[in-house]
């Protein structure tokens, strides 16, 4: 009896390892909210000027980071604003992708079976974030916001990261031509960032 | 063939155990009846859930209790739970049939009753608290959108439930 129990446990452990390996290495991307490895799809290297072609029925975007020795892909929230593509990463879902972006901002995103190499640039100013989040909040949370918006600097919601996905080549070219300008708003004395 | 059958059978057993066994949900995977320490006294202030990104809610199904992982927000001492695409959710349908639920936070279980929020003022307060908790935002105007979306509108239909704590053993 004891031997059978041990065998059963070993089988479960082996199945768990096999399942983990399968999702991480063989699925070609995340499965629902389970992280995956390499994204499979047709590589698109031409620049994209307008991301409004993304279907309004699509609520998540598959994103791959190769910051570490094993590629990591996850399904995340996204927004399209004025034709540009943004990622929204609340700490609610963990900071795995955010940490990898800190190490290497190059990402690959998959949309309708096609892979687009991009580079993540963090958005930090409150006014810009409010503009970006308004359609997202309406779509995902059925909430409309208006007027002044400010960030809360404590609690679970304090860690929310927004990234604009830029074309890698155009970003490198613009950095070569002119120095980068900071787009962040300095916090006021009370520690909160306000929008005008 | 025998190994495939064995793996399929094992997967089926694991699925049944998770869905019907005496444990709650595991992340996005629903579960059966919650297990833990039952809290006998009603809760007057749910703000202790502010540190929790998600909690578990157990609802009474037609033949077995059904539990899922949900977001939660405490506001004015009350606890609120949102549901996206609510009409399609099994746990929401269970609540409509029987509002008695049990809330699982860490290893403690709290008997309660789930009431759908219909008051616009209360819905706004809950939405504000949700924005603050999960996205770190405070806005001048916050307006929850009610009812099903119009054709062509890609927004979700979100229902908000207020959780009213009950003493253990109260089935009223």
């Amino acid at each position: 009896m004891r031997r059978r129990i041990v065998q059963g446990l070993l089988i479960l452990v082996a199945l768990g390892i096999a399942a983990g390996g399968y999702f991480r290495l063989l699925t070609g991307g995340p499965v629902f909210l389970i992280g995956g490895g390499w994204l499979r799809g047709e590589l698109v290297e031409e620049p994209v000027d307008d991301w409004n072609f993304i279907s309004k029925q699509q609520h998540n975007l598959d994103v791959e980071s190769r910051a570490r020795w094993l590629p990591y892909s996850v399904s995340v929230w996204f927004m399209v604003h004025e034709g540009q593509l943004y990622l929204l990463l609340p700490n609610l879902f963990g900071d795995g992708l955010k940490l990898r972006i800190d190490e290497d901002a190059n990402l690959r995103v998959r949309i309708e079976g096609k892979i687009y190499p991009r580079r993540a640039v963090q958005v930090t100013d409150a006014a810009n974030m409010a503009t970006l989040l308004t359609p997202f909040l309406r779509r995902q949370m059925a909430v409309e916001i208006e007027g002044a918006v400010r960030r809360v600097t404590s609690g679970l919601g304090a860690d929310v990261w927004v990234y604009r996905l830029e074309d890698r080549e155009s970003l490198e070219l613009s950095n070569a031509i002119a120095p980068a300008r900071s787009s962040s708003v300095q916090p006021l004395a009370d520690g909160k960032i306000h929008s005008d | 063939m025998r190994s495939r059958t064995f793996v399929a059978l094992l997967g089926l057993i694991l699925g049944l155990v998770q869905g019907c066994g005496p444990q709650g949900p595991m992340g996005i995977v629903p579960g059966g009846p919650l297990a833990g320490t039952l809290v006998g006294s009603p809760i007057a202030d749910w703000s202790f859930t502010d540190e929790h990104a998600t909690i578990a809610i157990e609802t009474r199904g037609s033949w077995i209790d059904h539990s899922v992982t949900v977001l939660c927000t405490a506001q004015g001492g009350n606890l609120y739970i949102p549901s996206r695409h609510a009409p399609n959710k099994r746990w929401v349908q269970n609540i409509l049939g029987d509002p008695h639920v049990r809330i699982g936070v860490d290893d403690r279980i709290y008997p309660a009753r789930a009431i759908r929020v219909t008051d616009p003022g209360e819905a706004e307060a809950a939405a504000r608290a949700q924005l603050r908790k999960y996205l770190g935002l405070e806005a001048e105007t916050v307006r929850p959108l009610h009812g099903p979306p119009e054709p062509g509108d890609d927004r979700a239909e979100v229902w908000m439930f207020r959780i009213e704590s009950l003493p253990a053993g109260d089935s009223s």
Side-chain angles (χ1 to χ4, degrees), chain A residues 11-12 15 32-34 56-57 59 77 88 90 92 133 136-152 155-158 160 192, chain B residues 6-7 10 14 28 50-54 71 84-85 127 130-145 152-158:
Chain A
I11 290 174
L12 286 176
L15 285 175
F32 295 112
L33 297 181
I34 302 174
K56 291 189 181 300
Q57 304 306 317
H59 295 286
W77 286 342
L88 175 64
L92 166 68
L133 291 174
F136 169 82
L137 291 173
R138 187 181 192 283
R139 188 176 68 173
Q140 294 282 6
M141 298 173 65
V143 167
E144 288 184 335
I145 64 173
E146 291 178 8
V149 175
R150 62 181 184 179
R151 292 292 311 277
V152 173
L156 284 178
V160 177
K192 296 182 178 179
Chain B
F6 174 77
V7 170
L10 188 61
L14 289 174
I28 62 171
D50 287 345
E51 300 303 315
H52 296 269
T54 57
L71 303 182
R84 294 180 69 244
H85 309 301
Q130 188 175 351
L131 283 180
R132 188 164 50 243
K133 177 176 179 178
Y134 288 105
L135 294 178
L137 290 179
E138 288 185 346
E140 186 174 333
T141 301
V142 176
R143 185 169 51 243
L145 301 175
D153 189 346
D154 63 348
R155 73 164 175 87
E157 181 175 0
V158 177

